Amino acid sequence: MRDSIYLLWVDLRLKVMIMVVMIFVSWRGVLGLENINPIFFDEGLSHLFGESNLIRSPDDRSVRLLLDKYTGSGFISSNMYQHGFFSSLIKLPGAYTAGLVVAFYTSNGDVFVKNHDELDIEFLGNVEGKPWRFQTNMYGNGSTNRGREERYRLWFDPSKEFHRYSILWNPTKIIFWVDDVPIREIIRKEEMKGDYPQKPMSLYATIWDASSWATSGGKFGVDYTFSPFVSEFKDIALDGCNVSDSFPNNNNNTVGYNYRNCSASDQDLMTSDYSTINPKQGAAMRRFRERYMYYSYCYDTVRYAVPPPECVIVAAEKDRFRDTGRLKFGGSHRTRKRRKRNRSTPVVSADQ
């Protein structure tokens, strides 16, 4: 009897190990991350702000960003990139996180003050027992009055374990990834003109107090009795054309900077696995947007009577949103929530 139980236990362990390996290989293959080597902190990153609230690991492969009652913290890439793929495994703070924002984004606001570009992944904290939510956004050439926000829920708790978040930016498209799922794709249109980011950008990661707006429009702020709030970043990857030495740091105009030829790097970024959404990934993206997107600027007719040119209006998707761009709450929404509680595995995996 004991021998039988032992053999069953060994067989179960073997099956679990095989499953983990298959998932790992599949995950790496989907994004093509086998071609991207995570960097050491000193290789491409530097302290941005926060005094001692940035804590690097002994192996220099990961970093913790803390927020306490004195300050938040952040880091920045040592170089600027003309297009790129920016990626990190991230784990967010748990418990009460209302008023917090943890951001992973690209920007050139320090160089092009009046006409900056930006690509955002911003995680918005919540009261205890309520899930983190997050948003993606894009600005081009200082188009801050034409924000392109989308807001979402997640199919997992981002404070329990690490998940990979990635931004692909090349001359023709932008794709936001969560693990192996593309959650948003922006195809560049000629009509967008300068609204499509075109100038070199740095990578940033920050944690900070956004009590005035981050949770329920500012209804709930940061409660520092729960501090310090700790967000962790590891296996950070930067892939793109480094142009930091190609233009003066005090140049705030689009005219006058000359950066090196990035055609070879751009070609790599346009043909890499993570720049193409295959049919399986496309289906995963549709499932994600159907189940977890709760605001889209493309359906916000109060804000934009005519949708911005890059918007692809999907009739079935549009029917689920009000004219404010926010999700209509009703029977279908409750059904999706009920199904979600009964599931124990992610529902939008590209392998599903």
Side-chain angles (χ1 to χ4, degrees):
M1 182 66 178
R2 288 182 178 177
D3 290 343
S4 298
I5 293 174
Y6 177 77
L7 289 173
L8 286 172
W9 178 76
V10 170
D11 182 61
L12 179 60
R13 282 193 65 186
L14 181 60
K15 287 179 178 178
V16 170
M17 289 174 65
I18 291 172
M19 185 180 299
V20 169
V21 170
M22 290 178 65
I23 291 172
F24 178 76
V25 171
S26 171
W27 169 72
R28 288 180 67 85
V30 166
L31 279 183
L33 289 177
E34 67 276 9
N35 298 319
I36 299 176
N37 295 316
I39 62 172
F40 292 101
F41 192 93
D42 269 344
E43 285 183 318
L45 304 168
S46 58
H47 193 171
L48 179 63
F49 74 100
E51 299 176 358
S52 60
N53 277 6
L54 184 151
I55 303 172
R56 292 158 56 174
S57 64
D59 66 1
D60 213 32
R61 286 288 194 181
S62 65
V63 60
R64 292 185 174 191
L65 297 182
L66 279 62
L67 169 68
D68 57 28
K69 62 181 180 180
Y70 301 106
T71 182
S73 54
F75 63 81
I76 184 175
S77 61
S78 305
N79 300 307
M80 299 185 74
Y81 297 87
Q82 181 64 31
H83 306 124
F85 179 75
F86 311 93
S87 183
S88 180
L89 288 169
I90 303 173
K91 185 165 72 170
L92 302 178
Y96 187 98
T97 57
L100 297 187
V101 169
V102 175
F104 184 75
Y105 65 105
T106 65
S107 178
N108 50 32
D110 290 340
V111 176
F112 302 98
V113 177
K114 297 181 180 179
N115 55 349
H116 85 287
D117 306 288
E118 192 168 315
L119 294 170
D120 298 326
I121 299 177
E122 293 181 311
F123 302 95
L124 312 176
N126 218 331
V127 296
E128 193 164 6
K130 297 291 184 179
W132 279 85
R133 303 196 174 199
F134 76 110
Q135 66 182 20
T136 62
N137 208 342
M138 176 186 77
Y139 299 108
N141 206 32
S143 59
T144 53
N145 64 331
R146 294 186 297 279
R148 289 164 157 86
E149 303 96 331
E150 288 186 351
R151 288 193 175 189
Y152 327 87
R153 295 178 291 118
L154 287 163
W155 64 95
F156 54 81
D157 183 345
S159 69
K160 296 297 185 185
E161 56 188 10
F162 285 92
H163 289 267
R164 183 166 290 279
Y165 305 89
S166 309
I167 302 171
L168 177 279
W169 167 49
N170 69 32
T172 62
K173 69 174 66 172
I174 294 160
I175 302 176
F176 294 91
W177 294 85
V178 176
D179 290 331
D180 63 347
V181 178
I183 63 166
R184 180 180 183 183
E185 181 181 37
I186 302 169
I187 304 295
R188 183 178 182 178
K189 299 289 182 65
E190 185 178 346
E191 296 83 356
M192 295 176 71
K193 300 180 180 178
D195 280 6
Y196 188 88
Q198 299 175 58
K199 300 185 295 297
M201 290 192 279
S202 300
L203 172 68
Y204 293 79
T206 57
I207 183 170
W208 52 288
D209 185 330
S211 295
S212 63
W213 65 272
T215 306
S216 301
K219 182 178 179 181
F220 301 99
V222 175
D223 184 345
Y224 284 103
T225 61
F226 292 90
S227 68
F229 302 96
V230 181
S231 115
E232 300 181 65
F233 298 76
K234 70 178 183 180
D235 288 353
I236 303 163
L238 300 172
D239 185 21
C241 184
N242 175 7
V243 297
S244 290
D245 299 328
S246 303
F247 56 93
N249 289 332
N250 61 353
N251 182 5
N252 294 325
N253 302 301
T254 56
V255 178
Y257 70 93
N258 296 300
Y259 48 88
R260 65 175 60 94
N261 189 323
C262 292
S263 57
S265 174
D266 285 348
Q267 185 63 26
D268 289 342
L269 289 170
M270 293 169 68
T271 57
S272 60
D273 291 339
Y274 45 79
S275 69
T276 302
I277 298 175
N278 65 34
K280 184 182 292 186
Q281 294 161 349
M285 182 166 69
R286 288 191 295 273
R287 285 194 296 271
F288 172 84
R289 296 175 70 80
E290 175 187 344
R291 297 175 184 181
Y292 299 107
M293 183 170 71
Y294 68 92
Y295 173 81
S296 171
Y297 73 104
C298 287
Y299 301 122
D300 190 342
T301 57
V302 173
R303 189 177 180 186
Y304 298 109
V306 177
E310 74 281 0
C311 287
V312 177
I313 304 300
V314 180
E317 198 171 85
K318 181 180 180 181
D319 289 342
R320 298 185 298 106
F321 290 88
R322 298 189 179 102
D323 57 2
T324 59
R326 292 189 64 85
L327 188 69
K328 294 178 181 176
F329 293 98
S332 60
H333 179 79
R334 288 197 297 270
T335 299
R336 284 194 298 276
K337 273 187 83 173
R338 195 157 51 242
R339 279 203 307 269
K340 181 175 182 289
R341 283 199 299 268
N342 291 334
R343 292 179 182 266
S344 59
T345 56
V347 297
V348 293
S349 167
D351 292 325
Q352 188 174 10

